[in-house]
Amino acid sequence: MLARIQVGLKPTFIDSFGEITKKRINTDLKLPVESVRTVKVFTVDADITEEQVLQTASGPYSDPVTQDYSLGPLAMDWKLGFDWLIEVGFRPGVTDNEGRTAAQSLELLIGRKLTRGEAVYTSVQYLISGPLKKEDIENIAKNLLANELIERFTIMDHKEFAVAGGVEPFAAKVVGENKGQVAEIDLDVSDEELMRISKEGVLALTLDEMKLIRSYLARPEVQEERGKLGLSEKVTDVELEVLAQTWSEHCKHKIFSGIIDYEDVTSGERSTVTSLFDTYIRQPTADIREKMGDDDWCLSVFKDNAGVISFNKDWNVVFKVETHNSPSALDPYGGALTGIVGVNRDPFGTGMGAKLICNTNVFCFASPYYDKPIPARLLHPKRIFEGVREGVEHGGNKSGIPTVNGSLVFDERYAGKPLVFCGTVGIMPSEVNGHPSEDKKAEPGDYIVMTGGRIGKDGIHGATFSSEELNENSPATAVQIGDPITQKKMFDCLLKARDQGLYNCITDNGAGGLSSSVGEMGEDTNGFELHLERAPLKYAGLQPWEIFISEAQERMTLAIPPDKLDRFMALCEKMDVEATVLGNFKDSGKFHVLYDGKTVACMDMAFVHEGLPKMQMVAKWEPKTHAEPMLPEKPDIGQELHNLLARLNICSKEYVVRQYDHEVQGGSVVKPLTGITNDGPSDAAVIRPVLDSFEGLVISHGICPRYSDIDSYNMVACAFDEAVRNAVCVGANPEIMAGLDNFCWCDPILSEKTPDGPYKLAQLVRANQALARYARAYGVPCISGKDSMKNDYLVGDIKISIPPTLLFSAVAKIDDVCKAVTMDAKNVGDHVFVVGKTYPELGASEYAAQHGAIGNSVPQVREKDAHARYKAMSQAMRRELVASCHDCSDGGLGVALAETGFAGGLGIDVDLRKVPVSDSTDFERDDTLLFSESQSRFIVTVQPQKTAEFEEIMRGTDCMKAGEVIADPVLKLTGLSGDTIASEPMADLKVSWQKTLDF
Amino acid sequence: MADKVKAIVLTGYGTNCEVEMAHACKLGGADQVDIVHMSELVHGEYSLDDYHFLNLPGGFLDGDDLGAGQAGAHRIKYITVKSTGEKLMDQMLRFIRDGKLVIGVCNGFQLMVKMGLLPGFDNNYEEREVSLTYNDSSKFEDRWVTLAVDESSPCVFTRGLKQLYYPVRHGEGKFVSKNDLVHKRIQDNNLVVLRYSDPKTGEATMKYPENPNGSPDAIAGICDPTGRLFGLMPHPEAFLHRTNHPRWTREELPDEGEGVALFRNGIDFIRENL
């Protein structure tokens, strides 16, 4: 029967979900809604009795203390007056996590498993009162409550509702049957036809690649082999899809491994870069490791799902950061949720598998106050902000992984594509069953076993879709909704399997699904045979190629030795984790896939993984000149500082931070918010991953896309430096620090739609050159990274390209967490030091932006000075000489001084004449000195009795005492002329800093 | 007198604070602490009968779907232990009848009220009289709160304690009673063990964010009339060392975090009485 069970908070309770919906309708859509009441609807599509329906409604589906339930319209039972009803439910096939839990609870109650086709679906009713017209309600439904890509909605006014007696039951069932058809595609066609096949199939294969496939199939030995297996000379859809995802930019990083002809117009130099990745990322890491010799603490770099370093003799640390930009543009909640639970699987699937200990998140959005028309297919930035925030909240919190570090970066160009960076750190014993945990290898004969979630149409073409710009044909199926609990259950189980030695190899199913995970593991043995019809499906109707490349979430692929298979399967059964044997790894040299016993794909492993020719690209660097900011002749320093503190890139992010659990697992040492009222901005996180030890990890990052407007070289230099100095701020040991590079670029390939490709590619080359230079200078090796190269929006003639962005994430060791330092001023009378020279570097600064310009004097990173300074600072912290240390970044000294003061609830008195400055510059303007964003600087407070020793250690690092912490809670600044140029109450400065994102 | 105090920390299906909860038990003096997955209880590999102290840690059982702890409570009610055929709930009730101790933190507290273990009037541990519902802010929030201990409460875990400082990390922590009668009975029996309070005055408060969820009577934790079953929203296991304190870099604090005391009290009680 099809039953609707409606559940709602008793009318005597505040419906806080309804209240917040009302608030968002009022503020985001500016519609005069008076009240919103919500009702949860469970549509039960199962062969159960009326009595069982009632038991379910009164049992697991409702809380007798707080909720009412009804099998009819609850609103009628309540005699609730309302004007409009909107009911929002998922479209068929979209992951409905609560529906899944509801189904499991029903199974327990009726004592049997639901059969195929039986299910529980959830939807939400919003009962809205207010003077609203039908189009207002449609606006609310479309632009706030439902995302039509994944959800459907029903609208009724009160009268319609009363006449119809409520909403008709509707089961969002996927109707389809397994036909298991394999199509053959003739590639012996014209070039235009080849490109049409690629484009219409969302394959993102180039003409050269299509031709390469054609010529492979034409080889006589290939044809003979195919004939034996019953395949024709045409390519099957399974094969074509496999090659499309394996060769996609997303998986193959063609731009980073291609050949670039680089020309610098200013110097006239020309050079050829054979691979950005090999030249500027892999090689510097190799050099750093060689220099460390026997002390090399890197264990596995660039080859696995995440990088691995040694934490101590007992433990290894694993770190990976990913992006999930395109899906988050289409469905912010699902995209971001999948982003975080997806990156969780990377450290989990690295080496023999790591336990996950913290998450990091960096989001780049357009302003939530964006007030221009929104181009087609894009969502309002506020909606993206809230959706992403909530997706990561659910993904992180429900997985029990603390979110310890992150940022929000705003720039109008992220309206075209938001960037959602999600990172996860894991820890694993240095040895698992007597073998180094970072190593793993499938053996011929091992079973291919898939665990976790089932396969649906979700995420099909994710890999190829993110290898293209967002356009009107971007497929809805690329969107998925993650399920953190199914994944958590699987992780609990697989960690036990790891410790019992039940598998040889493990990897995750991410982009490309089984095709990618099995294909990659098959490289260990040189071949595999897989049977697609054995794969567990969410619903019928998937074609073989869809089963193979679906990116349905929460799945790991393992290689299980035959003698361990029974134990492994029994463990999974016991722990309620679905596990299925799909085939075997072999040493046949073949990528061999069958469906119902018939071969649907068979290719040489060598062709699949190495068939690709290197891409040839051109890059041309011609620096751009920008207008200088028109700075006021006599700036009101206090007012300028208030305005800066309120800017989106500087203001408090507490609204987001509080909604993420940042201390689960019990090892929190330096939290994201700190200071006397627990709300100052920490520079980095410190955690203690092993609770009976005081050795800790520091997690930090740097990101400054604005500088790309002048030179992406400086953008990377500054992001690198920022990550390192943030880590140093809290007490990291700069000698044991590793980095991760995540490039998010706009399409840099010259084409009709990208005429400025050579410039954008030159930006990429320069970015990489900077990365290599600073990695070597600081001795901070990159251990893992990722690139996302097509962050453009192109619909009609509107093109929006993101500013070239590098997120540099760092993980470092702190030998004793009890010596960690926070950024808040601690005691009246402490000396305030400004450490590091200030240069007149307002180019692309927040202050220049405040005055409507970019300018040209972009900050430089002077690595020799900086590196010595960081080592000295680390030394001072180890001797416990530092009371507080805060990074100077966006908004310069002014912002850093204000934050140091108000986080500590104390005043600061600083004389700008005592600030160390560049030897070659005579600063004439207080604002330039105060708001310049020169790198590698700190604000440090030191107790007077420790000052001498501190100064001794810091000698030669441009460390000057410039003021004092004072009891009067004001920021008092003496200008270059000797006059007081600002005396602002810290409380007021804090209000300016807190009000912007106080949603 | 138990010569060896044995604690069990239940996990699985979305629980996520089991490691620090087990660490708290160790620091509190338990002689044996086992983290046991629900499926291991169900398969009879472990039994509550072998332990004195049941810990129900925080987390997101079943993703908080259907309401926090709701699906988890339903599971314990309906599932049977495979080796014996006994209902897991019966094992749980026997554990309570035997005078043993149960602590539920956050999601564990939610689970306890949804099973009916609390408030446990008249030795009835299956009746749902109270619940925990959505915060007034409708947000999940991670923030530290000051808690006033009701020294007249029978709770064995808070003996000798007056004020505590722990983090809350929840979206559904507003305590509600079925009706005024239930609420009054809880108050009359001094079952409100912890109240959100103003850090300056130490008085119970309804003010946000000191009271983070709008709980009436500022209720943060309650016990049953025997004082042996205790549920609380704030996380004592998140404050086991001074470096967990959000202001440890600016305040003089003892090395041991304030969370350990609750566990030590419980374990001492077991050692003396069981």
Side-chain angles (χ1 to χ4, degrees):
Chain A
M1 66 181 297
L2 198 58
R4 264 169 77 88
I5 298 172
Q6 304 199 21
V7 180
L9 278 175
K10 291 177 195 283
T12 44
F13 285 94
I14 300 171
D15 178 358
S16 57
F17 181 51
E19 289 298 310
I20 203 141
T21 307
K22 179 179 109 178
K23 185 176 162 195
R24 290 202 52 198
I25 295 172
N26 285 330
T27 54
D28 296 359
L29 302 177
K30 315 227 167 2
L31 289 171
V33 62
E34 283 153 13
S35 76
V36 179
R37 195 88 204 165
T38 59
V39 171
K40 173 70 57 65
V41 182
F42 298 93
T43 303
V44 181
D45 183 6
D47 188 16
I48 57 171
T49 64
E50 187 92 26
E51 197 194 330
Q52 286 172 323
V53 174
L54 254 170
Q55 278 181 341
T56 312
S58 60
Y61 290 7
S62 68
D63 182 329
V65 178
T66 59
Q67 292 174 317
D68 289 327
Y69 67 87
S70 175
L71 303 188
L74 191 57
M76 281 188 182
D77 297 3
W78 283 339
K79 299 189 173 55
L80 185 77
F82 62 90
D83 298 316
W84 292 95
L85 171 150
I86 302 173
E87 183 167 319
V88 180
F90 291 110
R91 288 187 184 276
V94 176
T95 304
D96 180 349
N97 286 323
E98 187 158 32
R100 182 206 15 86
T101 302
Q104 289 167 349
S105 293
L106 178 63
E107 289 177 336
L108 272 172
L109 192 129
I110 61 176
R112 68 167 175 88
K113 290 275 175 199
L114 293 186
T115 58
R116 177 156 282 201
E118 288 185 321
V120 182
Y121 306 91
T122 63
S123 49
V124 180
Q125 260 180 20
Y126 299 85
L127 306 164
I128 300 174
S129 296
L132 301 164
K133 295 190 279 294
K134 177 112 187 212
E135 52 264 37
D136 296 333
I137 288 296
E138 278 174 356
N139 180 4
I140 293 169
K142 285 182 183 167
N143 293 317
L144 188 67
L145 303 181
N147 180 349
E148 290 180 272
L149 208 54
I150 53 163
E151 290 163 322
R152 63 191 163 77
F153 57 83
T154 308
I155 290 177
M156 281 181 159
D157 64 24
H158 190 265
K159 203 170 144 205
E160 288 167 324
F161 174 82
V163 171
V167 180
E168 272 291 294
F170 174 77
K173 189 186 265 181
V174 179
V175 271
E177 45 187 298
N178 276 355
K179 293 186 293 276
Q181 295 209 335
V182 175
E184 292 185 330
I185 298 118
D186 190 354
L187 298 184
D188 230 346
V189 293
S190 68
D191 289 359
E192 292 79 48
E193 187 60 15
L194 285 178
M195 283 321 289
R196 191 192 61 77
I197 294 168
S198 174
K199 190 84 200 169
E200 285 180 9
V202 201
L203 300 176
L205 287 165
T206 64
L207 183 60
D208 286 347
E209 288 161 354
M210 292 296 276
K211 285 180 174 169
L212 194 73
I213 300 168
R214 183 167 66 193
S215 60
Y216 170 75
L217 292 167
R219 289 185 211 163
E221 72 277 14
V222 170
Q223 293 210 343
E224 194 193 322
E225 180 83 19
R226 293 176 74 82
K228 279 190 218 155
L229 295 166
L231 289 173
S232 77
E233 71 281 8
K234 294 177 191 164
V235 71
T236 68
D237 55 3
V238 180
E239 291 169 326
L240 198 56
E241 293 284 350
V242 165
L243 293 170
Q245 73 78 23
T246 313
W247 293 356
S248 67
E249 175 56 46
H250 187 87
C251 296
K252 207 74 186 177
H253 312 287
K254 292 182 259 199
I255 296 172
F256 266 76
S257 55
I259 298 165
I260 299 172
D261 175 18
Y262 175 73
E263 182 188 355
D264 183 338
V265 173
T266 43
S267 67
E269 266 174 72
R270 284 188 89 117
S271 55
T272 304
V273 183
T274 46
S275 157
L276 287 172
F277 176 64
D278 286 343
T279 312
Y280 297 118
I281 301 175
R282 198 200 292 270
Q283 192 57 46
T285 293
D287 294 345
I288 294 165
R289 293 185 68 181
E290 202 187 312
K291 221 168 143 186
M292 290 196 283
D294 291 344
D295 297 330
D296 179 13
W297 37 261
C298 293
L299 296 173
S300 167
V301 297
F302 304 122
K303 62 177 185 196
D304 209 332
N305 292 311
V308 187
I309 60 172
S310 170
F311 178 62
N312 59 26
K313 69 178 194 347
D314 299 323
W315 297 95
N316 295 338
V317 164
V318 186
F319 193 9
K320 174 71 171 208
V321 178
E322 277 272 14
T323 50
H324 220 228
N325 309 334
S326 304
S328 302
L330 299 177
D331 173 25
Y333 174 79
L337 172 57
T338 310
I340 193 71
V341 298
V343 76
N344 287 166
R345 289 193 303 276
D346 280 319
F348 197 89
T350 294
M352 290 303 280
K355 184 189 172 211
L356 311 176
I357 55 171
C358 67
N359 285 335
T360 64
N361 295 288
V362 174
F363 310 141
C364 301
F365 301 137
S367 164
Y369 299 105
Y370 189 89
D371 56 2
K372 287 177 229 162
I374 305 284
R377 283 214 79 168
L378 293 181
L379 301 174
H380 189 278
K382 170 85 186 287
R383 197 171 177 202
I384 294 183
F385 180 128
E386 286 292 352
V388 168
R389 181 203 58 68
E390 191 182 12
V392 170
E393 173 195 328
H394 289 174
N397 293 358
K398 292 186 181 185
S399 301
I401 303 165
T403 297
V404 300
N405 186 244
S407 268
L408 285 166
V409 179
F410 295 93
D411 186 293
E412 197 143 292
R413 288 164 286 181
Y414 294 119
K417 222 179 222 187
L419 303 184
V420 176
F421 297 93
C422 297
T424 303
V425 182
I427 191 164
M428 55 188 179
S430 48
E431 282 192 357
V432 172
N433 299 300
H435 299 286
S437 62
E438 68 274 19
D439 294 339
K440 60 182 169 188
K441 195 166 183 283
E443 297 291 343
D446 283 356
Y447 286 101
I448 302 170
V449 176
M450 183 186 98
T451 61
R454 295 181 155 222
I455 298 176
K457 292 201 182 201
D458 33 358
I460 284 176
H461 285 152
T464 49
F465 148 70
S466 59
S467 301
E468 293 186 322
E469 83 281 350
L470 184 61
N471 60 46
E472 55 264 88
N473 301 320
S474 299
T477 52
V479 173
Q480 307 137 289
I481 294 180
D483 174 358
I485 293 304
T486 296
Q487 181 151 299
K488 175 104 176 83
K489 276 165 65 181
M490 172 173 69
F491 286 173
D492 288 350
C493 174
L494 293 182
L495 282 177
K496 285 191 191 278
R498 177 194 75 182
D499 295 341
Q500 292 173 26
L502 300 183
Y503 56 79
N504 282 339
C505 191
I506 180 169
T507 198
D508 83 302
N509 282 282
L514 282 174
S515 158
S516 166
S517 66
V518 178
E520 280 170 25
M521 280 166 81
E523 287 186 83
D524 284 351
T525 61
N526 194 27
F528 67 88
E529 182 181 298
L530 180 135
H531 299 263
L532 286 173
E533 78 283 355
R534 297 179 189 167
L537 305 180
K538 289 180 178 173
Y539 36 78
L542 269 73
Q543 297 297 357
W545 69 267
E546 293 176 311
I547 298 171
F548 202 38
I549 68 159
S550 163
E551 294 173 11
Q553 295 289 299
E554 294 86 38
R555 294 179 296 144
M556 303 296 288
T557 298
L558 299 103
I560 312 280
D563 59 329
K564 308 272 176 65
L565 185 69
D566 290 348
R567 276 176 67 199
F568 180 82
M569 298 303 277
L571 179 68
C572 292
E573 161 95 42
K574 183 180 91 181
M575 296 186 74
D576 217 352
V577 172
E578 189 158 7
T580 316
V581 177
L582 298 178
N584 293 89
F585 291 103
K586 297 188 154 190
D587 52 7
S588 59
K590 298 290 178 199
F591 188 110
H592 191 186
V593 186
L594 300 97
Y595 186 85
D596 277 343
K598 191 175 168 304
T599 295
V600 295
C602 186
M603 295 178 283
D604 289 296
M605 289 292 290
F607 174 68
V608 176
H609 289 289
E610 284 151 42
L612 211 60
K614 282 200 164 195
M615 193 150 70
Q616 300 271 351
M617 296 160 284
V618 276
K620 192 168 169 182
W621 176 245
E622 250 179 303
K624 294 179 176 168
T625 337
H626 305 276
E628 287 295 336
M630 300 283 283
L631 299 179
E633 203 169 314
K634 280 202 176 339
D636 176 345
I637 295 291
Q639 191 54 49
E640 296 287 351
L641 186 54
H642 276 284
N643 294 348
L644 273 175
L645 286 165
R647 289 180 67 78
L648 283 165
N649 284 328
I650 294 176
C651 71
S652 170
K653 311 300 186 290
E654 182 173 356
Y655 169 74
V656 176
V657 173
R658 283 259 174 256
Q659 296 185 67
Y660 295 158
D661 187 329
H662 45 256
E663 42 198 336
V664 60
Q665 300 195 15
S668 170
V669 176
V670 174
K671 304 177 203 301
L673 298 166
T674 192
I676 192 164
T677 44
N678 304 344
D679 55 6
S682 287
D683 292 305
V686 180
I687 59 168
R688 201 157 52 101
V690 183
L691 293 181
D692 46 19
S693 158
F694 288 95
E695 286 175 284
L697 282 175
V698 175
I699 317 289
S700 69
H701 72 274
I703 184 167
C704 23
R706 283 173 295 112
Y707 300 143
S708 286
D709 285 337
I710 300 175
D711 192 342
S712 54
Y713 189 94
N714 301 66
M715 181 275 287
V716 168
C718 294
F720 201 114
D721 188 67
E722 184 179 23
V724 174
R725 76 176 181 268
N726 275 331
V728 169
C729 278
V730 297
N733 178 353
E735 312 282 329
I736 305 182
M737 187 183 297
L740 280 80
D741 58 283
N742 283 79
F743 286 86
C744 281
W745 234 250
C746 34
D747 184 6
I749 305 303
L750 176 63
S751 70
E752 224 169 274
K753 52 188 183 192
T754 312
D756 56 350
Y759 176 75
K760 289 171 173 168
L761 190 63
Q763 288 183 303
L764 185 66
V765 172
R766 297 180 65 75
N768 275 277
Q769 289 171 337
L771 186 63
R773 171 173 160 186
Y774 293 97
R776 287 197 171 100
Y778 291 158
V780 174
C782 288
I783 56 167
S784 178
K786 201 71 188 269
D787 57 277
S788 163
M789 300 307 294
K790 305 284 165 111
N791 293 291
D792 306 270
Y793 164 89
L794 182 61
V795 173
D797 52 5
I798 300 181
K799 181 168 183 180
I800 310 174
S801 295
I802 64 152
T805 306
L806 173 90
L807 169 68
F808 193 77
S809 308
V811 56
K813 212 174 148 186
I814 174 167
D815 301 319
D816 179 0
V817 298
C818 298
K819 294 182 180 172
V821 174
T822 55
M823 52 70 63
D824 46 314
K826 301 291 189 305
N827 319 292
V828 172
D830 282 2
H831 295 162
V832 176
F833 285 86
V834 176
V835 189
K837 280 182 191 166
T838 302
Y839 298 79
E841 293 176 324
L842 281 180
S845 65
E846 285 291 326
Y847 189 61
Q850 186 158 293
H851 290 282
I854 294 173
N856 302 289
S857 53
V858 68
Q860 313 286 320
V861 177
R862 295 147 184 102
E863 66 267 43
K864 244 184 96 193
D865 294 349
H867 193 217
R869 188 173 304 136
Y870 296 162
K871 285 200 284 194
M873 186 63 73
S874 164
Q875 185 65 21
M877 286 181 176
R878 258 178 294 211
R879 292 211 208 161
E880 299 181 79
L881 302 175
V882 175
S884 79
C885 180
H886 191 28
D887 149 59
C888 285
S889 57
D890 295 358
L893 280 179
V895 164
L897 287 168
E899 288 175 344
T900 301
F902 62 62
L906 296 166
I908 284 188
D909 183 353
V910 158
D911 187 339
L912 293 188
R913 293 171 298 182
K914 297 183 181 163
V915 170
V917 294
S918 128
D919 310 325
S920 56
T921 320
D922 250 346
F923 277 89
E924 284 166 6
R925 295 182 60 101
D926 293 317
D927 55 351
T928 311
L929 178 56
L930 209 47
F931 304 131
S932 161
E933 295 180 3
S934 291
Q935 301 293 299
S936 322
R937 296 177 301 159
F938 303 105
I939 302 293
V940 176
T941 64
V942 179
Q943 290 183 335
Q945 69 271 24
K946 294 181 176 174
T947 294
E949 196 182 346
F950 176 74
E951 284 177 320
E952 181 56 33
I953 288 176
M954 297 305 293
R955 188 193 300 273
T957 67
D958 308 308
C959 174
M960 304 253 284
K961 180 180 171 252
E964 233 176 65
V965 178
I966 55 176
D968 184 14
V970 294
L971 178 62
K972 192 161 168 273
L973 297 172
T974 304
L976 294 165
S977 64
D979 299 339
T980 298
I981 53 167
S983 185
E984 294 295 319
M986 286 289 187
D988 296 350
L989 291 168
K990 189 170 173 183
V991 167
S992 292
W993 180 71
Q994 287 185 323
K995 69 183 182 199
T996 311
L997 288 181
D998 185 17
F999 292 148
Chain B
M1 294 253 297
D3 50 333
K4 273 185 85 178
V5 176
K6 295 178 185 173
I8 177 169
V9 181
L10 195 55
T11 186
Y13 294 90
T15 295
N16 59 36
C17 298
E18 66 276 11
V19 172
E20 58 268 41
M21 199 88 162
H23 193 58
C25 289
K26 274 183 218 146
L27 295 177
D31 300 288
Q32 181 185 331
V33 185
D34 292 325
I35 296 174
V36 174
H37 193 278
M38 175 66 88
S39 66
E40 294 169 324
L41 269 191
V42 171
H43 279 72
E45 292 169 22
Y46 292 83
S47 166
L48 294 178
D49 297 331
D50 299 328
Y51 297 90
H52 307 106
F53 181 20
L54 170 61
N55 287 259
L56 301 171
F60 281 86
L61 279 170
D62 305 280
D64 271 2
D65 298 335
L66 314 181
Q70 178 86 3
H74 178 72
R75 182 182 299 109
I76 291 177
K77 260 199 158 96
Y78 279 86
I79 211 158
T80 51
V81 176
K82 296 236 158 54
S83 54
T84 62
E86 186 186 29
K87 279 231 157 69
L88 188 55
M89 189 66 190
D90 292 335
Q91 205 180 94
M92 187 82 74
L93 292 171
R94 182 167 62 247
F95 186 89
I96 294 167
R97 252 196 338 267
D98 288 349
K100 294 171 173 179
L101 267 56
V102 185
I103 188 170
V105 172
C106 194
N107 198 219
F109 183 24
Q110 291 162 338
L111 181 67
M112 287 176 84
V113 303
K114 299 203 180 181
M115 280 195 286
L117 297 191
L118 288 172
F121 292 140
D122 307 321
N123 292 314
N124 182 345
Y125 294 98
E126 292 182 274
E127 184 72 28
R128 291 175 67 163
E129 305 270 15
V130 300
S131 191
L132 290 154
T133 189
Y134 302 97
N135 297 354
D136 278 354
S137 68
S138 91
K139 283 185 219 155
F140 174 101
E141 284 194 323
D142 180 337
R143 63 168 76 244
W144 285 64
V145 293
T146 303
L147 300 160
V149 179
D150 184 341
E151 291 173 87
S152 57
S153 111
C155 182
V156 304
F157 294 90
T158 51
R159 286 181 182 174
L161 302 173
K162 288 192 168 64
Q163 199 184 59
L164 298 164
Y165 189 56
Y166 297 149
V168 288
R169 310 193 309 248
H170 63 249
E172 295 179 46
K174 181 176 172 176
F175 185 90
V176 287
S177 303
K178 194 162 71 181
N179 52 46
D180 293 345
L181 234 62
V182 169
H183 189 74
K184 189 161 181 307
R185 204 168 161 194
I186 288 172
Q187 285 178 319
D188 291 349
N189 288 283
N190 302 316
L191 301 186
V192 181
V193 182
L194 299 175
R195 287 185 174 83
Y196 300 111
S197 66
D198 184 313
K200 292 193 188 81
T201 63
E203 297 296 315
T205 181
M206 290 305 293
K207 209 175 104 227
Y208 175 84
E210 287 79 9
N211 177 336
N213 48 37
S215 251
D217 196 16
I219 295 173
I222 65 165
C223 65
D224 78 325
T226 71
R228 293 180 290 102
L229 273 61
F230 179 32
L232 69 165
M233 286 314 297
H235 288 266
E237 82 292 353
F239 186 15
L240 302 180
H241 185 260
R242 72 184 169 91
T243 55
N244 289 137
H245 189 288
R247 297 185 301 279
W248 72 271
T249 58
R250 55 185 301 124
E251 290 178 15
E252 288 298 323
L253 299 165
D255 274 352
E256 182 176 286
E258 288 179 19
V260 180
L262 288 190
F263 294 86
R264 182 175 297 121
N265 275 336
I267 287 157
D268 286 350
F269 177 88
I270 291 165
R271 217 181 287 285
E272 286 154 24
N273 297 282
L274 289 175

